[in-house]
Amino acid sequence: MKLKKNWFYFLTVLFAVMGMLYIFAYSFVSLAKNFRNGYLMQGGVFLVLLGIWLFLHLAVAAGRRFKLEEKLSRDKAWVRWAEAVIVTVVLEEAVDALWDAIFSVCRITGDGKAVERWRQVADT
């Protein structure tokens, strides 16, 4: 069954994207309340989101203009290279997060007093 892309499809995609952007922006706005100039932070977040949207829009337009999809679909070597890079980066981040979790559970803070803290835990 082929999905028909009519106005309702694009409207629902638009609402989904707007909802995700709202959630993303609201999280930054709630962070901004802790800063001295909260409105400056809110305006900066809005400008950053607008810049990202504009960049993506122009990148897609340039891709269509120069027919990048056809050129990239001929040679699949870049896909394998990109997959290898992405997997490597994700695995590195996962290993770093695992070590951070292990250090926080073991109460290792990196200040050189881990043995003393373990003795305090053992004494209690």
Side-chain angles (χ1 to χ4, degrees), residues 58-116:
L58 291 175
V60 169
R64 286 184 180 170
R65 170 73 172 96
F66 298 115
K67 299 179 182 175
L68 290 178
E69 185 178 0
E70 293 175 11
K71 293 176 184 175
L72 292 176
S73 65
R74 291 183 205 142
D75 183 25
K76 298 292 184 184
W78 70 274
V79 174
R80 291 187 297 275
W81 178 83
E83 286 176 349
V85 169
I86 289 171
V87 167
T88 304
V89 169
V90 168
L91 286 177
E92 282 182 11
E93 292 298 321
V95 168
D96 288 343
L98 176 64
W99 278 113
D100 289 341
I102 290 171
F103 288 154
S104 68
V105 167
C106 296
R107 297 182 180 150
I108 299 174
T109 59
D111 58 359
K113 299 179 182 178
V115 175
E116 293 174 19

Side-chain angles (χ1 to χ4, degrees), residues 12-27 49:
T12 55
V13 170
L14 176 70
F15 282 144
V17 170
M18 286 175 51
M20 285 185 274
L21 285 176
Y22 176 77
I23 292 169
F24 182 71
Y26 183 75
S27 64
L49 288 175

Side-chain angles (χ1 to χ4, degrees), residues 17-46:
V17 170
M18 286 175 51
M20 285 185 274
L21 285 176
Y22 176 77
I23 292 169
F24 182 71
Y26 183 75
S27 64
F28 276 109
V29 169
S30 64
L31 274 174
K33 291 180 182 177
N34 297 330
F35 292 106
R36 185 171 167 223
N37 294 328
Y39 293 112
L40 181 65
M41 180 72 171
Q42 292 174 6
V45 168
F46 176 74

